[in-house]
Amino acid sequence: MADIPVPVEITAAVWKIEVEVGARVAAGDVLLILESMKMEIPVEAPRDGTIRSILAAEGDQVEEGQVVVVLEA
Amino acid sequence: MLGPVLIANRGEIACRIAATCRRLGLRSIAVFSDADAGAMHVAAADAAERIGPAPPRDSYLSIPAILAAARRSGARMVHPGYGFLSENAEFAEACTAAGLVFIGPPASAIRAMGGKAAAKAVARQAGVAAVPGYDGADQSPERLAAEAGGIGFPVMIKAFAGGGGRGMRRVEAAAGFPAALAAARREAAAFGDDRMLVEKLVGSARHIEVQVFADAHGTVLHLGERDCSLQRRNQKLVEESPAPGVDPALRAELGRRAVALARAVGYVGAGTVEFVADAAAPLAADRIWFIEMNTRLQVEHPVTEMVTGLDLVEWQLRVAAGEALPFRQDDLAPRGHAVEARLCAEDPARNFLPSPGTIAVLRMPAAGTGLRIDAGFRAGDVLTPYYDPLIAKLIAHAPTRDEALARLAAALDGVAAEGIRVNAAFLARVLRSEAMRAGGVDTHFLEGFRAREAA
């Protein structure tokens, strides 16, 4: 088991969080949806795993490269 | 003419409105959120008022904040630009109630064209063909499914009150209809209205729209059409006028329809009537259907200005001040060809991912004969995640379409940016592509072009 940090690829606001801690996800599942420059940008699970922690809340501003979810895989 | 003019917007459109105000000798007042205190549009106006924090709902979408800024500044007119409050009937009414002249149509016209089904009802009454479909009172799943069958699959299900793609589903065959309807209804419930309409899906479509202009004295004219089929995520990136394949007879017919719709809702000022055209065959009047009316100035209005020689913002101001349009329809035939490209902070190679950040370097070609540049940002400005990614519009005008495309592509070659990614090189390749030069591409072309480049 290893912790996989999931960073965002763009400076944005967190619009919606689609998962909860402990949830099982598959690679490609949408973890949260960002909003930047009037566009919705999904953040997807890089691989199968379990959500270990969520490091942002809806409405938060996040910076490019900031880790928002840690996946246990 | 009346003045001063409060410009309730930001970016390139606020700069562009301020430029016309200056030319006409009207004082202009910009508004700005905390994210925009040093923005180019603030410098472009004669004065500026702070309206609140960066999030749009607390600033550019706040009716009380905008009205307070108008009061403080002594404005007599309010230009809403596009987006934000430009199609908000309550805002138009609030301006009037505050003794301000709203530069746009009456609130009743905004409302009449505000919903998809309401607009289709207006079209039916005016005798203008809308996309074939059903938007009746019987909302039972059985009736909707039966209507879909009658229209013929594939169909689109759309919420009466939807927007931004929500409450909308494409359905390929009857078997998938009930589930798609239920899903679209669930999304639409968020708008407080779960009524649904069913429409024929035009598989390969072109987006063609007609600019209309009306004064308060009964004159309604059309200023020809624009082709806005080059889109990504249902947002336009390249627009041109005239539209390839539209001859004077078809232009007159589309113009007649657009004017009839504007008259039907008592329109005043600048507006745009949008049509969808079947792109699978040469353009024909009976394969072009009304979709909706935008009751405001459009982003792409400069291509119409280039081929008609008119300043649409000037005429918005004059009409709002009560002047009559001095033109006749015959005066307004297009001259030459104009093409616009939207320079955006985004990365086509990463599926058009937006690219907020500080513009470290921004090199633009020199505007001049046959090349217009409407910019909203300069080197040193910050593009924040709060607002859209449009940096500037480049518009080329030439005697022929081939020359206009070549001139615009060359202008885009002259764009360079550091600190953010821009779509200039991508758009130049699109403009030079064989399909684009042939003309008549459909609304899927641009995303397909990007996908082929990525492969």
Side-chain angles (χ1 to χ4, degrees):
Chain A
M1 297 296 247
D3 284 351
I4 314 287
V6 182
V8 300
E9 54 178 349
I10 184 173
T11 299
V14 177
W15 182 54
K16 256 188 193 166
I17 296 178
E18 302 276 42
V19 291
E20 289 172 3
V21 172
R24 292 281 309 162
V25 294
D29 281 359
V30 174
L31 305 179
L32 43 90
I33 301 172
L34 306 175
E35 186 180 10
S36 187
M37 297 185 131
K38 291 175 69 186
M39 227 167 273
E40 291 169 19
I41 302 146
V43 177
E44 296 173 358
R47 50 192 288 188
D48 298 357
T50 304
I51 304 293
R52 185 181 180 82
S53 51
I54 298 172
L55 305 171
E58 288 181 2
D60 282 2
Q61 291 292 315
V62 292
E63 299 284 322
E64 182 176 344
Q66 187 175 330
V67 174
V68 287
V69 170
V70 179
L71 204 62
E72 195 177 283
Chain B
M1 211 185 315
L2 299 173
V5 181
L6 184 97
I7 304 168
N9 215 294
R10 64 185 299 281
E12 67 84 20
I13 192 63
C15 296
R16 185 256 169 277
I17 294 165
T20 289
C21 288
R22 179 150 303 162
R23 188 169 63 72
L24 298 177
L26 293 173
R27 187 175 149 78
S28 62
I29 301 115
V31 297
F32 63 91
S33 73
D34 290 338
D36 281 341
M40 184 168 163
H41 78 272
V42 170
D46 297 316
E49 295 282 344
R50 178 188 176 271
I51 47 169
R57 66 175 177 280
D58 300 326
S59 48
Y60 298 102
L61 286 172
S62 167
I63 295 175
I66 302 271
L67 292 181
R71 257 194 314 278
R72 286 196 303 273
S73 65
R76 293 189 61 195
M77 307 177 91
V78 176
H79 197 307
Y82 53 68
F84 294 126
L85 294 169
S86 61
E87 292 183 276
N88 185 315
E90 284 169 36
F91 180 59
E93 283 169 342
C95 285
T96 307
L100 299 159
V101 175
F102 175 76
I103 300 171
S108 57
I110 300 177
R111 285 208 175 89
M113 286 296 184
K116 292 185 177 80
K120 289 185 89 164
V122 170
R124 257 196 302 275
Q125 284 200 319
V128 171
V131 179
Y134 172 77
D135 52 37
D138 182 353
Q139 285 284 313
S140 67
E142 298 73 26
R143 175 68 185 271
L144 292 170
E147 293 287 347
I151 295 160
F153 288 92
V155 299
M156 286 296 289
I157 301 174
K158 294 180 182 176
F160 275 36
R166 280 173 231 175
M168 208 184 274
R169 285 290 186 285
R170 176 189 171 128
V171 191
E172 299 297 334
F177 191 86
L181 176 64
R185 271 229 159 102
R186 275 195 301 276
E187 287 177 12
F191 298 103
D193 182 350
D194 74 348
R195 287 177 299 163
M196 293 288 156
L197 59 88
V198 183
E199 265 179 12
K200 171 186 169 62
L201 179 83
V202 184
S204 174
R206 287 171 63 186
H207 176 113
I208 293 177
E209 60 185 32
V210 174
Q211 177 73 51
V212 293
F213 224 107
D215 64 21
H217 307 280
T219 297
V220 187
L221 301 168
H222 74 84
L223 276 56
E225 79 287 352
R226 296 182 286 258
D227 188 320
C228 312
S229 300
L230 275 83
Q231 307 180 357
R232 50 110 177 82
R233 290 195 201 93
N234 297 318
Q235 289 177 323
K236 302 161 186 169
L237 275 184
V238 175
E239 305 96 347
E240 61 183 301
S241 183
V246 172
D247 61 20
L250 184 53
R251 177 168 307 119
E253 168 58 17
L254 295 179
R256 183 194 65 74
R257 295 182 195 178
V259 166
L261 289 167
R263 281 198 190 283
V265 296
Y267 206 81
V268 177
T272 294
V273 176
E274 296 193 338
F275 296 93
V276 59
D278 186 348
L283 292 180
D286 63 354
R287 306 286 294 165
I288 300 177
W289 301 278
F290 167 70
I291 341 174
E292 64 177 357
M293 182 170 188
N294 291 316
T295 55
R296 55 171 164 84
L297 192 67
Q298 302 264 113
V299 177
E300 59 272 24
H301 74 276
V303 292
T304 298
E305 296 185 319
M306 298 292 262
V307 296
T308 60
L310 300 179
D311 178 334
L312 297 196
V313 172
E314 173 183 348
W315 285 101
Q316 284 188 298
L317 290 161
R318 290 189 183 281
V319 162
E323 288 189 34
L325 292 171
F327 317 109
R328 291 168 305 135
Q329 191 62 59
D330 293 344
D331 301 334
L332 299 169
R335 286 184 303 274
H337 199 96
V339 191
E340 172 181 284
R342 301 190 190 186
L343 178 67
C344 293
E346 64 183 24
D347 189 353
R350 294 166 79 193
N351 202 17
F352 303 104
L353 187 72
S355 179
T358 300
I359 308 175
V361 173
L362 183 63
R363 196 182 76 214
M364 297 288 273
T369 307
L371 181 66
R372 167 175 165 180
I373 297 179
D374 284 15
F377 299 88
R378 314 147 292 195
D381 288 343
V382 180
L383 297 173
T384 74
Y386 296 106
Y387 313 116
D388 77 35
L390 181 62
I391 297 169
K393 303 181 308 207
L394 288 77
I395 310 104
H397 183 220
T400 66
R401 182 171 187 270
D402 283 348
E403 291 167 275
L405 291 174
R407 183 169 289 169
L408 185 57
L412 287 162
D413 291 343
V415 174
E418 288 175 28
I420 51 161
R421 293 182 191 90
V422 296
N423 58 357
F426 170 77
L427 291 176
R429 290 195 300 277
V430 168
L431 292 171
R432 291 187 173 111
S433 70
E434 208 172 306
M436 185 62 190
R437 283 186 289 126
V441 298
D442 72 11
T443 53
H444 302 301
F445 168 71
L446 198 69
E447 289 183 345
F449 184 88
R450 191 206 68 83
R452 284 191 295 278
E453 279 199 332

